[in-house]
């Protein structure tokens, strides 16, 4: 054999050199392979070059030659794990080896052996070292692959887990889509139906009035649904709750008053107890807290049969150091109750015990998910106890920093002192229909409206205005030329301090927590979402201008 040393030079090698080289190659390979042998398929011969403990039990000498078929059969019966016998025996048949090596690719088989009660994973690696046309000379390496198999098994398990989670998410999404599709179509159907009826009966004002009321109810139902869906995505993306001064009794009272008509309609004994509040003024995220109370009490009222009881209480349990206190919000009802089975998934998104079609109750199963998210974000806990047919008790345990005494009377006196009939509002809105509706509603309330169809026009009007020309700006957010955020930021930068401090209320279809945050960052005083809710808008105007709003209701 000639050894090539580059540049065409070659050196003659004798049998001793060749043997030494062969041993070196085998030694190098044995770092990876615990057994190495060569096979002559034609002559049914196997020669061992490197032996593992297992191989040496059958053949204890290197370079020993024996019959391949005999050796394989001995090896299989001595070591191979029973479940893998078939794979092993088929894999080492001369015809299989030839057939697989013909493909000019590495050929492996994996199998397990049982050694002193321990399962080991092995890989046999076949390499053709003879002619490709007639495969006969094959080198065989055997190595342990326990770590690789363990990794593969782990990866497979992780993939299966991920798949299961994805399937569950898809199932939840499908349930949600079918629920929401049904639940949205129902009010939409009412809106279209009653609108058509109203058009047919324009001459009958009473009928039209009643149809419009139905349209309003259905629209509100639709809006509640959209708000809930948005709320859940906003909550899951919101950073942390912004804490402001708020009054727990006031929040509970607002929710109570809001749901009282519904409770009265069902003839429920509906009570509220805040006598256990030693400190009612706390620092908390007011909106989230109100939402939490509303979701729990709304469910209690909804899922309690006429004649039942709903009790709402907020109690201070423990005073902690540094002006913190632990509070328990308890909402108890004598309603239909919740099955043990469902209790386990009651806080999961889109879960509801009976679908709305069967129960006749319009719901999408997000209220409690939102409640749980709020409680989690506030660092509290929420717990539910229930028995079917007897009722349910939801308890949210929350910790707040208490505030010094809050003087509501002073604030009310200030507002009363500054009552004033008409106020001038710059109404910034690019959508013609929205503009028309908003102008009409606000002018009916006694406001003087100056419209601007985008932010740039609004900014020019404010720049040209004299201090006192405008009491308030109502600002849409998404607008061409200059959006509501840019405009508000520019107004806040104006040199005249009176003009730059005109209160701004955003009235926008952007209703996510991140939108509200952005409004705040751009100097907007309050962010309200569309569609416009007139009583809320009037209340907000009163609050931020300190001026009483004129309306037919006042
Ligand atoms: P929604 O009320 O919109 O369906 P929730 O997440 O608020 O969504 O509630 C999920 C489900 O939990 C409801 O559909 C209802 O089956 C059950 N549930 C919630 N609160 C009560 C309660 N106080 N009494 C009986 N069942 C309730």
């Amino acid at each position: 054999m000639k050894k090539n040393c580059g540049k065409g030079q070659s050196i003659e090698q004798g049998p001793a050199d060749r043997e030494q080289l062969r041993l070196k190659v085998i030694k190098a390979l044995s770092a990876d392979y615990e057994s190495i042998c060569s096979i002559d398929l034609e002559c049914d011969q196997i020669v061992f070059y490197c032996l593992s403990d297992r191989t040496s039990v059958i053949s204890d000498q290197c370079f020993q030659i024996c019959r391949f078929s005999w050796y394989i059969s001995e090896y299989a019966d001595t070591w191979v794990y029973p479940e893998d016998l078939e794979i092993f025996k088929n894999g080492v048949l001369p015809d299989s080896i030839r057939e697989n090596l013909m493909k000019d690719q590495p050929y492996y088989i994996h199998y397990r052996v049982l050694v002193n009660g321990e399962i080991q994973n092995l890989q046999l690696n076949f390499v053709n070292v003879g002619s490709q046309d007639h495969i006969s000379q094959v080198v065989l390496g055997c190595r342990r692959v326990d770590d690789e198999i363990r990794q593969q098994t782990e990866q497979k398990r992780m993939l299966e887990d991920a798949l299961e989670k994805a399937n569950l998410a898809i199932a939840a999404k499908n349930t949600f889509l079918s629920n929401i599709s049904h639940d949205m179509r129902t009010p939409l159907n009412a809106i279209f139906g009653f609108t058509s009826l109203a058009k047919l009966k324009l001459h009958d004002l009473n009928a039209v009035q009643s149809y419009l009321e139905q349209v309003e109810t259905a629209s509100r139902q639709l809006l509640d649904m959209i708000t809930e869906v948005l709320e859940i995505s906003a909550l899951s993306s919101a950073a942390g709750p912004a804490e402001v001064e708020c009054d727990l009794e006031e929040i509970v009272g607002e929710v109570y008053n809001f749901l009282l008509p519904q409770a009265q309609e069902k003839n429920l004994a509906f009570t509220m107890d805040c006598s256990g509040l030693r400190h009612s003024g706390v620092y908390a995220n007011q909106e989230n807290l109100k939402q939490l109370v509303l979701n729990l009490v709304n469910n209690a009222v909804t899922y309690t049969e006429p004649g039942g009881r709903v009790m709402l209480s907020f109690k201070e349990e423990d005073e902690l150091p540094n002006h913190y206190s632990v509070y328990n919000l308890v909402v108890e009802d004598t309603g239909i109750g919740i099955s043990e089975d469902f209790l386990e998934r009651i806080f999961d998104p889109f879960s509801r015990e009976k679908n709305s079609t069967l129960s006749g109750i319009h719901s999408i199963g997000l209220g409690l998910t939102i409640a749980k998210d709020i409680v989690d974000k506030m660092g509290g806990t929420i717990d539910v106890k229930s028995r079917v047919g007897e009722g349910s008790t939801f308890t949210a345990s929350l910790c707040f920093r208490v505030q010094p005494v809050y003087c509501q009377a002073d604030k009310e006196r200030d507002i009363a002192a500054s009552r004033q009939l008409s106020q001038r509002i710059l109404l910034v809105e690019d959508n013609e229909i929205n503009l028309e509706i908003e102008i009409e509603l606000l002018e009916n309330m006694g406001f003087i409206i100056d419209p601007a169809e985008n932010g740039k026009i609004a900014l020019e009007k404010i720049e040209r205005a004299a201090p006192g020309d405008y009491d308030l700006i109502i600002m849409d957010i998404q607008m061409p030329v200059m959006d509501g955020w840019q405009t508000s930021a520019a107004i806040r930068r104006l040199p005249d301090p009176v003009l730059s401090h005109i209160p701004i209320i955003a009235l926008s279809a952007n209703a996510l927590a991140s939108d509200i945050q952005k409004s705040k960052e751009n100097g907007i005083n309050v962010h309200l979402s569309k569609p416009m809710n007139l009583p809320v808008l009037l209340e907000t105007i009163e609050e931020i201008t300190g001026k009483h709003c004129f309306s037919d209701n006042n």
Side-chain angles (χ1 to χ4, degrees), residues 192-211:
F192 280 117
F194 286 116
T195 308
S196 308
L197 283 172
K199 276 169 147 178
L200 284 176
K201 296 213 172 170
L202 285 175
H203 53 279
D204 182 349
L205 275 187
N206 282 341
V208 170
Q209 164 87 17
S210 141
Y211 294 145

Side-chain angles (χ1 to χ4, degrees), residues 299 303 333 337-338 342 351-353 363-368 392:
N299 277 349
Y303 297 107
D333 65 61
I338 302 154
F342 184 65
S351 57
R352 45 190 184 175
E353 191 150 27
S363 66
I364 49 174
L366 279 179
L368 288 178
S392 314

Side-chain angles (χ1 to χ4, degrees), residues 228 295-296 298-304 333 335-338 342 346-348 350-354 361-370 386 391-394:
E228 276 202 359
N295 288 9
L296 296 183
N298 186 40
N299 277 349
V301 171
T302 307
Y303 297 107
T304 300
D333 65 61
I336 58 172
I338 302 154
F342 184 65
I346 194 156
F347 295 110
D348 292 352
F350 313 123
S351 57
R352 45 190 184 175
E353 191 150 27
K354 302 172 196 163
I361 294 166
H362 291 280
S363 66
I364 49 174
L366 279 179
L368 288 178
T369 312
I370 293 171
S386 186
S392 314
T393 305
F394 286 80

Side-chain angles (χ1 to χ4, degrees), residues 539-551:
E539 205 176 288
T540 311
I541 295 176
E542 259 185 51
E543 247 171 49
I544 67 170
T545 62
K547 292 175 186 173
H548 185 69
C549 301
F550 174 81
S551 84

Side-chain angles (χ1 to χ4, degrees), residues 3 32 78 118 253 386 412 467:
K3 186 176 158 194
D32 283 332
T78 316
E118 182 208 4
S386 186
E412 278 171 7

Side-chain angles (χ1 to χ4, degrees), residues 144-388:
R144 278 185 73 165
V145 286
D146 295 314
D147 286 347
E148 286 160 60
I149 297 284
R150 206 173 301 121
Q151 266 176 15
Q152 274 173 17
T153 315
E154 180 63 11
Q155 262 173 8
K156 194 169 160 233
R157 197 189 53 75
M158 278 163 64
L159 281 174
E160 280 168 357
D161 272 6
L163 183 68
E164 195 187 327
K165 281 192 187 129
N167 282 340
L168 283 176
I170 290 169
K173 189 192 79 184
N174 287 343
T175 312
F176 166 66
L177 285 178
S178 81
N179 282 346
I180 205 154
S181 159
H182 167 270
D183 292 355
M184 282 191 163
R185 275 167 204 277
T186 312
L188 267 177
N189 196 34
I191 293 170
F192 280 117
F194 286 116
T195 308
S196 308
L197 283 172
K199 276 169 147 178
L200 284 176
K201 296 213 172 170
L202 285 175
H203 53 279
D204 182 349
L205 275 187
N206 282 341
V208 170
Q209 164 87 17
S210 141
Y211 294 145
L212 288 179
E213 274 162 16
Q214 305 275 20
V215 168
E216 196 178 8
T217 309
S219 310
R220 202 136 291 284
Q221 212 172 55
L222 201 55
L223 177 66
D224 287 349
M225 253 173 231
I226 293 168
T227 310
E228 276 202 359
V229 172
L230 284 180
E231 187 79 25
I232 193 82
S233 75
L235 271 172
S236 56
S237 63
E243 294 188 348
V244 294
E245 285 182 0
C246 53
D247 188 275
L248 297 179
E249 188 166 354
E250 210 174 284
I251 291 175
V252 171
E254 267 182 48
V255 174
Y256 177 82
N257 287 330
F258 179 71
L259 292 170
L260 189 60
Q262 201 178 318
Q264 281 171 339
E265 208 170 288
K266 289 181 82 175
N267 197 22
L268 299 179
F270 185 27
T271 58
M272 160 185 146
D273 179 9
C274 287
S275 58
L277 285 178
R278 289 184 301 279
H279 301 91
S280 186
V282 298
Y283 294 94
N285 181 312
Q286 176 150 319
E287 286 314 310
N288 281 1
L289 192 53
K290 205 183 289 177
Q291 181 84 53
L292 165 69
V293 183
L294 181 67
N295 288 9
L296 296 183
V297 186
N298 186 40
N299 277 349
V301 171
T302 307
Y303 297 107
T304 300
E305 311 277 14
R309 257 183 308 130
V310 171
M311 291 141 294
L312 158 65
S313 75
F314 221 139
K315 198 171 168 208
E316 195 168 339
E317 295 294 333
D318 293 315
E319 277 183 50
L320 304 174
N322 299 327
H323 313 290
Y324 280 88
S325 274
V326 175
Y327 295 83
N328 272 355
L329 165 70
V330 182
V331 180
E332 196 177 342
D333 65 61
T334 58
I336 58 172
I338 302 154
S339 69
E340 242 176 77
D341 214 26
F342 184 65
L343 271 181
E344 286 176 18
R345 5 178 220 112
I346 194 156
F347 295 110
D348 292 352
F350 313 123
S351 57
R352 45 190 184 175
E353 191 150 27
K354 302 172 196 163
N355 75 34
S356 58
T357 330
L358 287 179
S359 65
I361 294 166
H362 291 280
S363 66
I364 49 174
L366 279 179
L368 288 178
T369 312
I370 293 171
K372 171 94 170 59
D373 263 21
I374 291 173
V375 170
D376 286 349
K377 286 220 156 74
M378 289 182 171
T381 57
I382 184 162
D383 168 61
V384 48
K385 293 197 168 51
S386 186
R387 268 172 183 276
V388 173

